Amino acid sequence: MTDEEFLVQLRQAFAVEAEEHLQAMTTGLLELEKTPPPPRSTELVESIFREAHSLKGAARAVSRTDIESVCQSIETVFSQWKKTGVSAAPETFDTLNGAVDLMTRLLRMSGVATGAPERADIAAAVRDLGNVPAQDAPAPPPETQPTTPPVPEPHAAPEAHLPQFAETVRLPMAKMDALLRRAEEMIAVKLTASRTATELRELGGVFEAWRKEWAKVRGLTRSSLADASPAALAKLADFLEWNQGFIHTAGKRLTSLATAAAHDERSAGALIDDLLDDAKRLVMLPFGTVFDLFPKLVRDLARAQDKEVALVLRGRDVEIDKRILQEMKDPLIHLVRNSIDHGIEKPAARAAAHKPAGGTLTLAVSQLDASRVEIIVADDGAGIDMEKVKAAAVRAGTLAAEEAEMLSDQAALALIFQSGISTSPIITEISGRGLGMAIVREKAEKLGGQVGMETANGAGTTFRLVLPVTLATFKGILVFTGGQTFVIPMAGVERIARVRREDIRTVENRETISLDGQAVSVARLDEVLALPPRPEEGGYAEVIVLGFVDQRIGFIVDAVLYEQEVLVKSIGRPLLRVRNVAGATILASGTPAVILNTTDLFKSAVHLAAASGPATSRAPKVVAAKGTRRILVTDDSVTSRMLLKNILESAGYLVTTAIDGMDALTALKSGDFDLLVSDVDMPRMNGFDLTAKVRADKKLAELPVVLVTALGSREHKERGIDVGANAYIVKSSFNQSNMVEVIAKLI
């Protein structure tokens, strides 16, 4: 190994160690700030001092002089505090926390070299730390006190420099020992499998001898036996006698081998299950890994908004797949930001509502069962104003004003998760763009989870996220419908019921069944999946009931087969996101089966019920023609243009195409269109600029604009909303029916 390769490995190890030191320093600073003076905790001061000292030494070992210099300055501050006492000024802790944030940013830099902006930040941090006082200066005498208290400067919104998940994971030796023991036990399975294979080969040799003996007599047929010689008949008799003994011996050996194979199957199955469980635990991390990010984030956000917030963390030791934890980190951060920004009030407002000046934010995790966990993000703030939500939906064009007035609170609450709807009066770096909650739901559903929420005026809001424990395998129910076999994840199944067909009633044009004294809507899974209907057989129907929070829907299937452990196989391009489909698996028979997305099934069933009219009718819905509605499609790809044109013309629209933004703007000014569908990444004028120009033109300002693009990042979606797009559809999750529905709503 070269010196350069060794240094790369050393820096990777340093990154993991440094994250731990920085997290310990952050936790210590937060605890020290909470400790009232005097006296400040000498143990905490000593602990943070040692963390800074250890990080300084590790940074020096890998030539990270940038981090070393900041640690040196922090070490100097704490060395002085150990002698003279700790400053209690909040500004002092702001400076120290800022220095830790700076080192977190520097740690993410892959190289040793530091750019000019970073060098300036380091110099400023070192200078600020040099000005940190040891003890607060004594208060001036009364006569020098100002007659008017100074007005504090508003805090800037905090920038969250949160640690990233490392590509390496530190594992307890107990986990490694368990995995090694399982692997060693597989040696016995290997030996028994080898022995069984040898015996089968030997048995194959015995049957080869049988074939040779049979070849000697197989020329004797029934017609030739009457004319056979005594020698030939004696030969046949000898074979039959030998064959009887052969069959008896071969049967005994086959029975013995079948018994051994069954034993091996049980042993191998148990070992493989245990080995898989142990392997899963290697990528399982406690929620405390993420929880450690939030105390400082909450502290900074609360100070920035002049609020008092106490953070309560529960369930630190609950473990979940590292990949799920990493995917859910940003959604949890968004929910916490929302709770502080929108939920918890300022002290004066809380006092006026007869509430404690400080709000409480709770982040709790609990294990629901072996395959699911529940995350709760709850605040005791003002709750969600349903009227504001309805007004935001009307402004966004999601609802007409008349529809909003008739909307129930439960239905209005569901609007929170729609893209582009926000109750914030202004767009800030924290919130207000209306994308956050949509992304939270999207992330959870992508992982096979679900999101629900509850709110009470003046009492706060609670978000509940139910997630799988692991991504690799899960328990699934196999069902047969429409001539195909599908897998429904057990995590979404509330129960399986068998009902008489005559007990399926029609209530308000929807088929329902009675379960536990309550009416539960049902849908036929073959209709939801757009499969050819099959004739109903028998007097009973099998129903899979899916449930989450207070919603339940039953799906009628042809047959419920059995439950099994399912290994998920992801579906590649171009089928990354297909409605109602979560993935695929290979069944024990070797045939593939589609894994259904339970959240999509909910939506599809509701949409089908709303669109199809009376539930008793199984005839397909006929879509009415759109008359002379004209749509302009803009895309620099001829393939994409023709695809969109074909979809929209099939839906009954008149479609004109343009090759880029400049061409489209010319067409819009010279023609008359009801809607614009545009790509974003185009030459001459991109879709964002085109949308901005449309909104700036008095004649075109009200024209609905739908952006269809491969650019699916949050930043691109936010920019699309900023320039005035009515809808933003990502090509990787493109769904033809969704697009037609979106356009139908806009025009």
Side-chain angles (χ1 to χ4, degrees):
M1 181 184 296
T2 65
D3 291 344
E4 185 176 349
E5 290 172 337
F6 176 71
L7 184 59
V8 169
Q9 287 191 0
L10 200 61
R11 286 180 187 150
Q12 290 174 345
F14 166 73
V16 176
E17 179 187 358
E19 289 280 8
E20 294 179 355
H21 287 308
L22 289 170
Q23 184 58 54
M25 291 169 68
T26 298
T27 303
L29 285 170
L30 290 172
E31 190 64 31
L32 190 63
E33 187 176 13
K34 293 177 185 176
T35 306
R40 295 280 187 178
S41 171
T42 55
E43 291 82 4
L44 276 174
V45 172
E46 179 67 25
S47 173
I48 300 170
F49 174 81
R50 288 181 179 274
E51 295 290 346
H53 181 76
S54 299
L55 180 55
K56 182 184 74 172
R60 182 183 297 129
V62 294
S63 303
R64 290 301 301 262
T65 55
D66 47 358
I67 294 178
E68 180 188 356
S69 62
V70 180
C71 282
Q72 176 69 48
S73 298
I74 293 177
E75 193 179 37
T76 301
V77 171
F78 278 86
S79 177
Q80 184 68 19
W81 280 6
K82 287 168 62 178
K83 298 175 184 177
T84 61
V86 181
S87 169
E91 294 76 12
T92 296
F93 288 96
D94 288 344
T95 301
L96 288 165
N97 280 305
V100 174
D101 287 344
L102 173 60
M103 287 191 288
T104 301
R105 293 200 305 273
L106 294 172
L107 185 61
R108 297 177 190 169
M109 298 172 58
S110 57
V112 179
T114 305
E118 289 78 20
R119 286 197 297 271
D121 290 344
I122 294 168
V126 170
R127 182 183 65 251
D128 292 344
L129 288 167
N131 295 329
V132 168
Q135 289 182 314
D136 293 336
E143 61 271 18
T144 63
Q145 292 279 4
T147 56
T148 304
V151 178
E153 295 181 4
H155 299 293
E159 183 181 357
H161 302 299
L162 300 174
Q164 300 295 310
F165 282 88
E167 292 302 319
T168 56
V169 179
R170 290 192 176 187
L171 299 172
M173 282 305 300
K175 287 187 176 182
M176 292 299 297
D177 289 342
L179 188 64
L180 181 59
R181 283 195 300 272
R182 301 295 183 202
E184 289 171 343
E185 290 173 9
M186 294 296 290
I187 295 174
V189 176
K190 175 183 175 182
L191 293 175
T192 56
S194 176
R195 182 194 65 209
T196 302
T198 300
E199 292 187 17
L200 285 170
R201 284 194 296 270
E202 291 175 355
L203 191 59
V206 171
F207 275 100
E208 183 61 33
W210 178 87
R211 280 192 291 270
K212 290 179 180 178
E213 292 297 324
W214 168 244
K216 295 176 183 178
V217 298
R218 68 182 176 185
L220 292 171
T221 62
R222 180 177 297 180
S223 60
S224 63
L225 284 177
D227 301 327
S229 65
L233 292 174
K235 189 175 181 180
L236 177 60
D238 290 342
F239 171 77
L240 292 174
E241 185 177 352
W242 173 85
N243 189 63
Q244 183 178 4
F246 170 84
I247 291 174
H248 178 72
T249 303
K252 288 180 64 176
R253 293 187 68 178
L254 283 172
T255 301
S256 176
L257 280 171
T259 302
H263 177 269
D264 292 347
E265 179 187 22
R266 289 192 297 271
S267 300
L271 280 174
I272 289 171
D273 288 344
D274 291 341
L275 187 62
L276 180 60
D277 287 341
D278 289 337
K280 286 178 184 177
R281 291 191 183 98
L282 294 181
V283 294
M284 301 282 275
L285 291 178
F287 267 91
T289 310
V290 165
F291 278 4
D292 290 338
L293 309 179
F294 289 101
K296 183 174 184 302
L297 175 65
V298 170
R299 180 254 185 205
D300 291 347
L301 287 170
R303 275 185 57 77
Q305 299 192 39
D306 295 321
K307 295 180 180 180
E308 298 176 17
V309 182
L311 177 64
V312 177
L313 299 173
R314 292 199 296 265
R316 298 179 58 90
D317 296 331
V318 177
E319 291 191 335
I320 194 170
D321 193 312
K322 172 181 179 286
R323 294 163 293 182
I324 296 177
L325 203 59
Q326 188 164 4
E327 285 292 321
M328 291 308 299
K329 184 188 71 173
D330 287 342
L332 288 176
I333 288 172
H334 178 81
L335 290 176
V336 167
R337 285 178 178 272
N338 255 15
S339 294
I340 296 174
D341 189 38
H342 292 302
I344 296 177
E345 314 94 329
K346 291 188 177 182
R350 292 180 66 86
H354 306 290
K355 298 165 73 172
T360 300
L361 175 61
T362 301
L363 187 56
V365 182
S366 59
Q367 191 100 30
L368 292 181
D369 51 44
S371 62
R372 297 182 304 163
V373 296
E374 181 183 57
I375 306 173
I376 291 177
V377 181
D379 65 69
D380 64 348
I384 297 175
D385 188 329
M386 292 299 109
E387 294 306 316
K388 288 185 178 180
V389 173
K390 295 176 184 178
V394 172
R395 286 197 305 272
T398 304
L399 291 175
E402 297 77 13
E403 293 175 315
E405 289 180 5
M406 299 173 61
L407 211 61
S408 67
D409 284 351
Q410 189 65 31
L413 202 58
L415 294 171
I416 293 290
F417 294 101
Q418 291 196 22
S419 178
I421 295 180
S422 173
T423 57
S424 177
I426 188 171
I427 294 177
T428 69
E429 64 277 11
I430 296 178
S431 61
R433 298 179 184 272
L435 281 171
M437 293 311 303
I439 293 173
V440 169
R441 185 176 65 177
E442 180 183 311
K443 283 275 191 180
E445 292 178 357
K446 181 181 176 183
L447 295 169
Q450 296 170 312
V451 182
M453 65 181 298
E454 305 151 15
T455 189
N457 190 26
T461 302
T462 298
F463 290 94
R464 300 180 186 274
L465 295 88
V466 176
L467 299 170
V469 171
T470 183
L471 290 178
T473 61
F474 64 89
K475 291 285 187 181
I477 293 287
L478 271 67
V479 301
F480 185 80
T481 194
Q484 299 182 42
T485 300
F486 297 93
V487 179
I488 299 178
M490 277 291 294
V493 177
E494 182 178 290
R495 64 187 293 181
I496 299 171
R498 189 166 183 260
V499 300
R500 294 179 179 274
R501 294 193 184 275
E502 59 262 30
D503 291 338
I504 301 176
R505 310 288 185 183
T506 300
V507 179
E508 294 181 353
N509 289 336
R510 294 188 181 184
E511 288 185 317
T512 63
I513 59 175
S514 177
L515 289 178
D516 303 325
Q518 295 183 342
V520 177
S521 295
V522 294
R524 302 175 190 276
L525 188 58
D526 55 1
E527 288 186 350
V528 171
L529 299 178
L531 297 174
R534 294 165 60 88
E536 297 177 345
E537 299 177 355
Y540 287 87
E542 304 281 354
V543 181
I544 300 287
V545 181
L546 304 184
F548 180 67
V549 190
D550 58 347
Q551 301 179 32
R552 290 197 299 175
I553 293 182
F555 290 86
I556 299 174
V557 299
D558 294 341
V560 177
L561 303 179
Y562 51 86
E563 174 188 336
Q564 77 166 45
E565 190 81 10
V566 177
L567 177 64
V568 181
K569 300 285 187 180
S570 61
I571 300 178
R573 296 181 182 276
L575 303 175
L576 288 177
R577 183 68 176 96
V578 179
R579 176 180 283 191
N580 300 319
V581 174
T585 190
I586 303 297
L587 303 179
S589 62
T591 57
V594 170
I595 301 170
L596 298 178
N597 184 313
T598 54
T599 305
D600 278 4
L601 290 179
F602 259 98
K603 298 175 185 175
S604 297
V606 171
H607 174 73
L608 182 67
S612 60
T616 53
S617 173
R618 296 185 63 135
K621 183 80 170 176
V622 178
V623 179
K626 302 302 185 301
T628 57
R629 295 295 178 91
R630 298 188 61 194
I631 297 177
L632 176 64
V633 171
T634 309
D635 200 306
D636 60 325
S637 165
V638 63
T639 304
S640 296
R641 283 202 308 273
M642 296 311 296
L643 173 64
L644 292 170
K645 186 174 188 291
N646 182 63
I647 291 171
L648 296 176
E649 286 183 340
S650 298
Y653 296 106
L654 300 178
V655 180
T656 303
T657 60
I659 61 173
D660 59 24
M662 193 71 73
D663 188 26
L665 190 60
T666 302
L668 288 170
K669 290 184 176 181
S670 59
D672 185 17
F673 296 94
D674 298 290
L675 182 136
L676 168 65
V677 176
S678 176
D679 186 22
V680 169
D681 192 7
M682 298 182 294
R684 296 205 296 170
M685 182 186 293
N686 64 38
F688 292 139
D689 293 339
L690 172 60
T691 305
K693 288 186 177 296
V694 167
R695 292 290 172 256
D697 190 306
K698 291 183 179 180
K699 294 182 179 179
L700 302 174
E702 300 301 321
L703 180 73
V705 178
V706 177
L707 296 179
V708 181
T709 174
L711 304 177
S713 71
R714 181 184 304 180
E715 291 77 12
H716 287 114
K717 291 179 181 178
E718 288 180 351
R719 188 178 175 192
I721 291 174
D722 288 343
V723 296
N726 299 87
Y728 194 101
I729 299 175
V730 181
K731 289 180 179 178
S732 61
S733 58
F734 181 79
N735 183 300
Q736 175 176 332
S737 60
N738 273 350
M739 181 177 177
V740 174
E741 289 171 12
V742 167
I743 290 176
K745 288 179 180 178
L746 294 175
I747 58 174

